[in-house]
Each structure stands twice: as structure tokens, then as C-alpha cells.
């Protein structure tokens, strides 16, 4: 959900906070690729969210980077697991819903 316009599963606002709901979403691990990304569907460029505001297994709040107008896929890369051990390899979670920057 975009916190500025309260849109769910659709429009996002660059430079604003979005709330991501799910399970085992916490960003954890020391691999360089760990993080939250928006992938531009036109050119496959990856934009990492540099600021994570809330980093929990279910609610994840992140500040969006500057993004050009277009369609994006949200991807979470983490080594978090349900127990206290980190996964050996990062796992990627891509959300099915395309997010739109107007």
C-alpha cells in the first residue's frame, strides 16, 4: 500500500513509503544482493530501496527511491528464515501485481 495516496496493489509514489504485507519478509543476511527492489518492466533496471523503515517478518515498510514513470515489479531478496539461522543462499520473492508510477 502506498502511504501517500492509500492505493493498494497498484499505483506507487516515488520518494514515499510503501507498506508490504506477507510472511517471512524480513530483510536479513550479509549477501550484497539482499534488499528490496523495484524492477522496471521496460528496461529491466533494478532500483534498490535504500531506506527500510520497519523490518519485520510480516509488515515491511520501505521508502521508495526516485523512479521514472512506468510499470514495476516489487522484489524482496532475503536470507531470513523462520528459525534463528540465516539461509545459506538468498531467496527472491517477486510480487505478482505490477506497480505503476504515473
Amino acid at each position: 500500500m502506498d502511504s501517500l495516496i492509500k492505493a493498494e496493489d497498484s499505483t506507487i509514489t516515488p520518494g514515499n513509503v510503501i507498506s508490504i504485507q506477507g510472511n517471512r519478509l524480513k530483510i536479513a543476511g550479509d549477501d550484497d544482493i539482499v534488499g528490496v527492489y523495484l524492477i522496471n518492466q521496460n528496461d529491466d533496471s533494478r532500483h534498490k530501496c535504500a531506506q527500510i523503515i520497519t523490518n519485520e517478518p510480516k509488515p515491511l515498510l520501505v521508502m521508495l527511491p526516485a523512479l521514472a514513470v512506468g510499470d514495476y515489479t516489487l522484489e524482496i531478496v532475503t536470507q531470513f528464515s523462520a528459525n534463528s539461522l540465516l539461509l545459506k543462499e538468498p531467496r527472491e520473492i517477486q510480487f505478482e501485481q505490477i506497480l505503476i508510477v504515473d
Side-chain angles (χ1 to χ4, degrees), residues 13-39:
T13 308
N16 203 37
V17 175
I18 61 169
S19 172
I20 306 164
Q21 299 294 321
N23 292 311
R24 295 187 302 220
L25 298 177
K26 185 174 183 171
I27 305 302
D30 54 7
D31 195 290
D32 290 339
I33 196 167
V34 167
V36 178
Y37 297 87
L38 287 141
I39 304 166

Side-chain angles (χ1 to χ4, degrees), residues 64-79:
L64 294 175
L67 299 167
V69 171
D71 295 343
Y72 292 84
T73 299
L74 178 71
E75 179 179 74
I76 295 175
V77 182
T78 185
Q79 291 176 268

